[in-house]
Amino acid sequence: MTCTLCDLPTPDPPLTDPEVPGEYCCRGCLEVARTVEDPTDVDGETAAESVDAGPDDAEGETAFLSVSGMHCATCEAFIESRATDRAGVRSASASYPTETVKVTYDPDETDREAIAAAISGLGYRADARDVGDDADETVSTGRLLVGGFFGMMTMLWYLLFLYPVYLEVSPELLLFDLSGSAGAYLVANVWLMATVVLGYTGYPLFRGAYVSLRAGHPNMDLLVALAAAAAYAYSTVVALFGGTEVYFDVAVVVVLAVAVGNYYEGAIKRRAAGRLADLTAERVSEARRRTDSGTETVDVESLTPGDEVVATAGDRVPVDGPVVEGRATVDESLVTGESTPVAKEPGDEAIGGAVVVDGRLVVAVEAGEESTLDRVVRTLWDVQSTRPGAQRLADRIAAVFVPLVFVLAGIATGWQLFAGARPGAALLVGLSVLVVSCPCALGLATPLAVARGVREALDAGVVITDASAFEAAPDADTVVFDKTGTLTTGEMRILDRVGDDRVPARAAAIEQYADHPVAAAIVDDVDAALPSVADFERAPGRGVTGRLAARADGATQRTDEAARRADGVAVAAGSLDLFESRDWEIPETYSERAREASAEGNVPVLVGWDGRVEGVLVAGDRPRPEWEAVVDDLAADRRVVVLTGDDSAAAARFRAHDGVSEVFAGVPPEGKTAVVEQFAGDGTVAMVGDGVNDAPALAAADLGIALDHTALAAGAADAVVTTEDLTAAPAVFDLTAATNGRIKQNLGWAFVYNAVALPLAVAGALNPLLAAVAMGTSSLLVVLNSSRSLLSEAEE
């Protein structure tokens, strides 16, 4: 039987509640189920699919492809159509921000290589999802450099020769006469350089325009491409008939201005696209299968129900399954986020992806079992690939604005012809309408403001990896915190010492040989040099024992004879179970303190020698000193929720804080994603986390903020805090709100400009050159406004 919420195996009997439908694997999932409207509708394994209600329920195999060359959100619809046109493809869902397409297909009719080939073309390249995009980035840089060089050359010729003629400068002051063959030669050179800029640098722009027409979603690329193409085509015709009043400069300026903005936006997108390289490196590809003659190494995919796999110290458990033999302590923090190592023995469920710290486990392979770590990977892929593409406001407006401009240009041209103007003059009026409305200011409004926000966020110790953060953060009404490694340090430390003064040193003496987070905390707590230990022995899941070969308190240097007299002092450190199983004397004071520590969510380590417990060391994950101030800051106008894979006792201090609205303890990764999505149904949700197990929830949230502990969490997040200071998290909200305000200012100016300039162009009061100057002035104002500091606005 599997959990109704997260689809993990349930114990026998499963956890139930008469008021909550379903059966659950742990108390954490049961607590989550109490908050959702219908827990039977929340499947943690496929929870990400609810983010985008696309046709993702089709049967077949699933593949994730990386598609380089995606230029705008319109590319999503185009890529999806190219994929689904391939026979055997059941569904396709593309994501522009992560440059990913998820396809479901029938393996009997096609394969992923054929699908990739069908998608590739027109500047797109589809590959296996783990292939990087360095080549694509190099091509983009090359286009910009080539365009910049030839664009500067074009403008230089205009400044030296053509503009003076247009401004009717005296012929005596000109470098040479443009009326003859010299003029034709100069215009031919300008035409050639402009052709390079439009044909090479402007190729993604014109491809985007074509794609928008194919997809039936006109965007700003279409308007910019038409303006540049119209200026270029008109000027080419004029040049062929020997004229010199050409507008190649307009075409060049338009293409380069948009290319710079798109290059910057592409840089943000490349940083935002998580490649999961670190996580997939942690996945187990091989397992040691037990046989009659010992063990053999096989691929995990070849395991079948009934097989038994062996995992020893340092190994990752290859698959989920019941422990049938052995005892061990395992570290499940990578998968579950639970900071405390867990003891496993026959009858317990082992989690695939967890690391065996000490001991040895034999895990049975059951039907349909896979690694929990694999499920985390797949959930993250689902969320990232099916999340809707980040639509800029300019593209949303384009559906109305672009057709309107075309209509106005046509009306202006027709009216001029009706009024008796020459065809050439009438076409110039229509061209002026296209050029003056060319949305450089509108297109630069968002990326330039975002650029400023990114730079100032870096100064505050925050890396913005996805520009969508600037839209989502100001609207966030719920902030979900992971506990371990976020509100806490994520590292075990000794919090309390009870008993004999020799307890810390003697415990450290034997724990120095153990590979265990609690052991490391005990050793780090002692400054003195540690003596060696004889007859060291692990008791997996319970503790360690050994015999001191020197004084554990290390007071003085001793002779060999004194050292021999000290040999034989047996020291043990571990759980109550360890000492009870060996019939050691356990004073009530120490057993009671151990139970109290466990109830607090900490790890008690009893320490004793010569058959008697002499003290207790309490290890735990310490809260960050600034966590209360951060919660108070955010709780002033937002709901704050805490999620943790630890048990309820470990979360008690957070539940008691007035600023925390709800705490969910014992929640597995799939449950975290389900909680985030449930809150997302009521508003905008921000998730703050650090670990691999948080990555799906970070990706599912409207705004994901990661502390920089793992590359996976950073790849799934929209913002990454790099300073190890949790106070930077509220700064994300302040800076993004200020940046969002700056974007609105820029867009407001762009709309005002169009409201004034368009009627003038339609009335024939602007020629293409004046239209280009007006467009450039508008863009300059947007640049100047974007360059102002955001810090003062954030402080306000």
Side-chain angles (χ1 to χ4, degrees):
M1 299 179 67
T2 57
C3 178
T4 300
L5 183 75
C6 71
D7 212 32
L8 291 176
T10 60
D12 186 16
L15 277 71
T16 59
D17 187 316
E19 299 180 358
V20 181
E23 299 173 334
Y24 302 92
C25 64
C26 62
R27 195 156 297 279
C29 283
L30 181 58
E31 287 297 319
V32 172
R34 287 195 177 102
T35 69
V36 300
E37 295 177 1
D38 185 0
T40 59
D41 286 342
V42 181
D43 178 3
E45 186 172 342
T46 57
E49 296 181 4
S50 65
V51 177
D52 180 38
D56 293 330
D57 56 349
E59 294 182 357
E61 291 192 8
T62 299
F64 297 91
L65 302 176
S66 174
V67 184
S68 62
M70 294 184 74
H71 178 63
C72 62
T74 309
C75 291
E76 292 176 340
F78 183 72
I79 292 296
E80 290 169 2
S81 67
R82 288 177 71 93
T84 53
D85 285 345
R86 174 77 187 181
V89 176
R90 301 288 185 256
S91 66
S93 179
S95 170
Y96 160 59
T98 58
E99 292 190 328
T100 301
V101 59
K102 174 188 175 185
V103 292
T104 303
Y105 63 96
D106 185 346
D108 294 332
E109 297 185 49
T110 187
D111 54 35
R112 67 179 63 200
E113 289 75 19
I115 298 171
I119 294 173
S120 300
L122 287 176
Y124 300 109
R125 188 185 72 248
D127 297 291
R129 185 58 181 84
D130 56 353
V131 174
D133 295 322
D134 293 340
D136 183 61
E137 183 175 1
T138 302
V139 170
S140 299
T141 304
R143 290 186 189 279
L144 197 58
L145 290 176
V146 171
F149 174 77
F150 284 100
M152 287 189 295
M153 293 297 297
T154 300
M155 298 310 297
L156 181 63
W157 285 61
Y158 265 92
L159 288 171
L160 293 177
F161 306 114
L162 294 177
Y163 287 153
V165 172
Y166 298 162
L167 297 175
E168 299 181 354
V169 175
S170 174
E172 289 79 12
L173 299 178
L174 298 177
L175 294 178
F176 56 84
D177 186 8
L178 297 183
S179 60
S181 59
Y185 173 78
L186 186 147
V187 171
N189 276 272
V190 171
W191 172 85
L192 180 61
M193 290 183 289
T195 300
V196 173
V197 174
L198 266 70
Y200 184 65
T201 305
Y203 172 75
L205 175 68
F206 289 103
R207 187 198 63 191
Y210 168 76
V211 165
S212 75
L213 290 174
R214 281 283 304 271
H217 299 290
N219 61 3
M220 287 301 174
D221 282 347
L222 181 59
L223 183 55
V224 174
L226 261 227
Y232 176 83
Y234 174 85
S235 301
T236 299
V237 172
V238 170
L240 289 175
F241 284 94
T244 58
E245 191 170 340
V246 290
Y247 296 96
F248 292 116
D249 55 337
V250 174
V252 166
V253 168
V254 166
V255 168
L256 287 180
V258 175
V260 169
N262 286 339
Y263 178 81
Y264 169 74
E265 185 182 24
I268 291 179
K269 185 177 63 176
R270 283 188 291 272
R271 288 198 301 269
R275 292 293 174 253
L276 297 180
D278 283 6
L279 181 62
T280 52
E282 300 287 357
R283 298 172 72 177
V284 184
S285 58
E286 294 182 337
R288 280 184 291 155
R289 180 168 56 192
R290 186 158 71 170
T291 65
D292 294 338
S293 58
T295 62
E296 60 179 354
T297 301
V298 298
D299 291 336
V300 171
E301 288 77 8
S302 66
L303 294 175
T304 59
D307 287 345
E308 294 179 345
V309 295
V310 179
T312 57
D315 293 342
R316 288 195 181 277
V317 179
V319 295
D320 292 355
V323 176
V324 295
E325 182 182 309
R327 295 175 64 97
T329 302
V330 297
D331 180 2
E332 299 177 344
S333 59
L334 177 71
V335 178
T336 68
E338 185 172 348
S339 56
T340 306
V342 181
K344 297 292 183 181
E345 59 185 18
D348 293 337
E349 286 290 329
I351 293 180
V355 178
V356 179
V357 176
D358 58 28
R360 175 180 179 273
L361 294 178
V362 178
V363 179
V365 178
E366 297 183 335
E369 284 301 328
E370 64 175 340
S371 166
T372 296
L373 184 58
D374 285 349
R375 279 201 297 274
V376 171
V377 175
R378 182 156 44 81
T379 300
L380 179 58
W381 277 131
D382 284 338
V383 173
Q384 286 197 324
S385 65
T386 58
R387 187 164 53 180
Q391 277 269 343
R392 291 189 311 180
L393 178 59
D395 276 338
R396 292 197 294 267
I397 295 170
V400 176
F401 185 68
V402 172
L404 175 62
V405 169
F406 290 154
V407 171
L408 289 177
I411 291 175
T413 302
W415 175 256
Q416 292 293 323
L417 290 173
F418 179 76
R422 292 180 295 106
L427 287 175
L428 282 178
V429 172
L431 177 59
S432 298
V433 172
L434 291 178
V435 172
V436 81
S437 65
C438 184
C440 288
L442 194 60
L444 293 174
T446 296
L448 288 181
V450 165
R452 186 69 189 187
V454 168
R455 287 197 296 271
E456 296 198 23
L458 284 173
D459 294 337
V462 177
V463 177
I464 303 295
T465 61
D466 191 337
S468 64
F470 294 104
E471 295 182 5
D475 296 331
D477 45 29
T478 299
V479 180
V480 179
F481 280 97
D482 170 60
K483 181 187 77 70
T484 304
T486 305
L487 294 177
T488 67
T489 62
E491 299 176 354
M492 283 289 179
R493 292 290 185 269
I494 299 302
L495 306 179
D496 189 20
R497 305 165 192 83
V498 179
D500 192 297
D501 292 341
R502 293 172 290 179
V503 162
R506 290 196 168 184
I510 58 173
E511 292 284 11
Q512 65 181 312
Y513 301 103
D515 183 10
H516 191 291
V518 175
I522 292 173
V523 174
D524 291 344
D525 191 51
V526 177
D527 295 331
L530 301 177
S532 60
V533 173
D535 301 328
F536 175 79
E537 180 183 353
R538 291 183 176 89
R542 292 181 292 179
V544 293
T545 61
R547 294 182 181 274
L548 298 185
R551 284 179 57 88
D553 45 11
T556 59
Q557 181 69 32
R558 296 173 301 158
T559 65
D560 289 344
E561 183 180 355
R564 283 194 297 273
R565 286 198 302 269
D567 286 346
V569 176
V571 179
S575 64
L576 274 169
D577 184 46
L578 173 68
F579 293 94
E580 289 173 348
S581 65
R582 301 184 179 218
D583 294 325
W584 282 37
E585 180 184 351
I586 308 174
E588 181 63 25
T589 301
Y590 302 142
S591 61
E592 181 63 28
R593 182 65 187 98
R595 284 188 286 269
E596 289 176 358
S598 297
E600 294 166 356
N602 297 316
V603 181
V605 179
L606 284 77
V607 183
W609 52 85
D610 292 336
R612 186 178 188 274
V613 172
E614 300 292 347
V616 179
L617 299 177
V618 178
D621 182 14
R622 292 185 300 183
R624 293 181 183 271
E626 68 274 17
W627 81 269
E628 291 184 287
V630 169
V631 169
D632 288 336
D633 185 358
L634 294 176
D637 49 11
R638 297 176 178 89
R639 176 171 51 177
V640 175
V641 177
V642 176
L643 294 179
T644 179
D646 286 341
D647 59 22
S648 183
R653 62 165 57 92
F654 304 103
R655 185 176 285 108
H657 192 280
D658 292 338
V660 177
S661 300
E662 295 180 80
V663 174
F664 300 99
V667 182
E670 295 91 339
K672 291 181 180 181
T673 306
V675 172
V676 168
E677 292 179 349
Q678 178 65 22
F679 283 123
D682 299 328
T684 303
V685 177
M687 170 74 186
V688 186
D690 76 300
V692 170
N693 63 90
D694 302 325
L698 287 169
D702 298 295
L703 172 69
I705 302 175
L707 299 188
D708 194 18
H709 291 278
T710 65
L712 174 68
D718 304 300
V720 180
V721 176
T722 63
T723 60
E724 291 293 329
D725 186 354
L726 191 58
T727 57
V732 173
F733 294 93
D734 294 336
L735 271 171
T736 52
T739 304
N740 199 42
R742 187 65 54 81
I743 292 172
K744 292 178 180 178
Q745 292 173 8
N746 288 348
L747 291 175
W749 163 250
F751 290 135
V752 169
Y753 157 77
N754 278 286
V756 174
L758 268 175
L760 291 176
V762 171
L766 297 175
N767 62 29
L769 179 59
L770 291 177
V773 170
M775 179 198 70
T777 302
S778 173
S779 299
L780 179 61
L781 290 175
V782 168
V783 171
L784 293 175
N785 188 50
S786 298
S787 65
R788 294 188 300 112
S789 174
L790 292 165
L791 292 178
S792 57
E793 293 186 21
E795 291 171 358
E796 294 174 2

